[in-house]
Amino acid sequence: MATEAAVQWLSIGEVAERTGLSVHALRFYEREGLLVGPVRRTSGGRRRYTSADVEWLLICVRLRESGMPLADLKHFSELVRNGPGNEAERLRLLDAHRQRVDAQIQALEECRSVIAWKVDVYAEHLARDEAGGLWDPTV
């Protein structure tokens, strides 16, 4: 493990830049207990983060972007923070989320298929200069 002196400390602004989260969001993540370790502070009270914090936050960002509920992310963070011995529960939580994401992807693919079909219909009619009256409710 790296000694305290060997750790490259990052400011909240640097972490915001690396993760794409706002400074406000980083404070929110900390308040909500979404980090796996405590955020250290300088003697002046400024937050100091490590590269491990950034790696964890990038995972959190992807989980949230994929629709993981905040409660599930909090629970997952707690499990990780508690250390070894709960890997099966972590797996169950992640697998359930993956199944939700797979269902969303399937639904989006079906939507895309309908949209592509409608694009083709309109393109064909426009190419033949026969677009008048396409789904015109006034006709």
Side-chain angles (χ1 to χ4, degrees):
M1 179 168 193
T3 65
E4 183 91 3
V7 173
Q8 179 192 3
W9 296 104
L10 303 166
S11 71
I12 195 168
E14 291 169 320
V15 173
E17 188 175 310
R18 290 181 186 197
T19 62
L21 293 168
S22 68
V23 168
H24 176 75
L26 287 168
R27 289 183 185 124
F28 173 80
Y29 273 45
E30 181 182 352
R31 249 188 342 269
E32 292 296 314
L34 298 176
L35 300 172
V36 291
V39 175
R40 293 191 170 85
R41 296 187 182 253
T42 65
S43 59
R46 294 183 182 263
R47 288 169 174 84
R48 299 187 314 170
Y49 297 87
T50 66
S51 59
D53 294 323
V54 171
E55 289 173 26
W56 175 254
L57 285 164
L58 289 171
I59 292 168
C60 291
V61 166
R62 289 295 182 216
L63 291 173
R64 287 294 290 151
E65 284 177 348
S66 64
M68 179 177 272
L70 187 58
D72 287 354
L73 184 55
K74 286 171 93 167
H75 184 59
F76 183 60
S77 299
E78 180 183 344
L79 291 170
V80 172
R81 202 171 28 255
N82 288 340
N86 58 31
E87 293 81 5
E89 189 173 354
R90 293 183 213 178
L91 175 60
R92 280 191 297 276
L93 191 146
L94 289 172
D95 190 48
H97 181 61
R98 182 184 60 189
Q99 289 177 32
R100 285 191 303 268
V101 169
D102 288 345
Q104 291 171 340
I105 290 169
Q106 177 64 34
L108 285 171
E109 286 174 347
E110 291 169 8
C111 292
R112 183 177 57 194
S113 177
V114 169
I115 294 166
W117 169 69
K118 287 308 294 175
V119 165
D120 290 345
V121 167
Y122 276 83
E124 286 177 29
H125 280 80
L126 285 170
R128 292 191 314 252
D129 199 24
E130 297 174 0
L134 272 177
W135 286 72
D136 184 349
T138 62
V139 176

